[in-house]
Amino acid sequence: MAESEFPGWHGTTIIGVRKGGKVVIAGDGQVSLGQTVIKGTARKVRRLSPGGFDVVAGFAGSTADAFTLLERLETKLEATPGQLARASVELAKDWRTDKYLQKLEAMLIVTDGKDLFVITGAGDVLEPEHDVAAIGSGGNFALAAARGLMEGDLDAETVARKAMAIAADICVYTNGNLTVEEISQ
């Protein structure tokens, strides 16, 4: 089977919501190969603690690639303790310029409870304008839902859970089996 014919890995929705002094990152558990669900309980949201400094990260894309990026992020955080923005920019620079890292197919949402960033292989470190960031196949659905829910009295976790439920109802590559991590400022 030619690479262009290979169905490819699909599926994930990751959302980050900052509200009320807390940031929640939630991710679904579905991994698909073509039209087949391979696993429904994958854990795509992780808590990192390099040097006692807590960071929560969620990833979309290739799992092996994402783990490589998470390891690199931990190394950057160890070199710049307590400086998530700086570590994220350093990771994005390496990702864009290193020939090995350039081939990695994943995206990250990271937070330390204060900052919230999306990190991409294009060298981007993006901070969301409306305290909501989402990536993955159902990311746009979750993002739209969360932005609509942000105006109410719901807390960050409830906004994230409701937005993920809406994304799971719309995106066939997203399920309702969530991993949710919360971190405070």
Side-chain angles (χ1 to χ4, degrees):
M1 180 180 279
E3 187 174 327
S4 62
E5 296 172 8
F6 190 73
W9 291 94
H10 288 285
T12 254
T13 302
I14 304 293
I15 190 164
V17 177
R18 177 174 43 207
K19 188 172 183 187
K22 296 182 179 176
V23 182
V24 170
I25 296 184
D28 79 306
Q30 183 168 307
V31 178
S32 305
L33 178 59
Q35 296 177 342
T36 304
V37 175
I38 300 297
K39 184 173 184 174
T41 59
R43 194 168 165 261
K44 304 170 198 170
V45 177
R46 308 265 180 197
R47 186 173 293 268
L48 311 173
S49 296
F53 175 68
D54 275 349
V55 170
V56 175
F59 62 85
S62 165
T63 304
D65 292 356
F67 282 147
T68 299
L69 293 168
L70 291 174
E71 287 173 8
R72 295 282 182 127
L73 179 60
E74 277 189 297
T75 300
K76 299 295 182 188
L77 287 165
E78 288 169 355
T80 59
Q83 298 180 51
L84 179 61
R86 184 171 174 193
S88 298
V89 168
E90 291 299 317
L91 174 63
K93 283 196 303 190
D94 287 355
W95 194 352
R96 184 163 171 80
T97 59
D98 183 281
K99 289 192 185 293
Y100 167 73
L101 294 178
Q102 285 176 353
K103 297 183 186 330
L104 300 182
E105 296 181 4
M107 291 178 76
L108 302 174
I109 293 180
V110 298
T111 185
D112 59 2
K114 181 182 65 152
D115 293 318
L116 176 64
F117 300 117
V118 174
I119 308 172
T120 75
D124 298 316
V125 177
L126 307 169
E127 186 169 16
E129 285 186 324
H130 302 284
D131 292 325
V132 178
I135 57 175
S137 57
N140 287 337
F141 305 121
L143 178 67
R147 287 201 39 203
L149 293 166
M150 288 292 282
E151 294 179 16
D153 293 333
L154 303 175
D155 64 6
E157 182 174 344
T158 304
V159 169
R161 285 183 180 278
K162 285 180 176 278
M164 289 294 292
I166 290 167
D169 283 347
I170 298 169
C171 178
V172 297
Y173 297 114
T174 302
N175 71 13
N177 185 2
L178 301 182
T179 301
V180 179
E181 289 283 346
E182 180 181 280
I183 189 167
S184 299
Q185 289 182 336

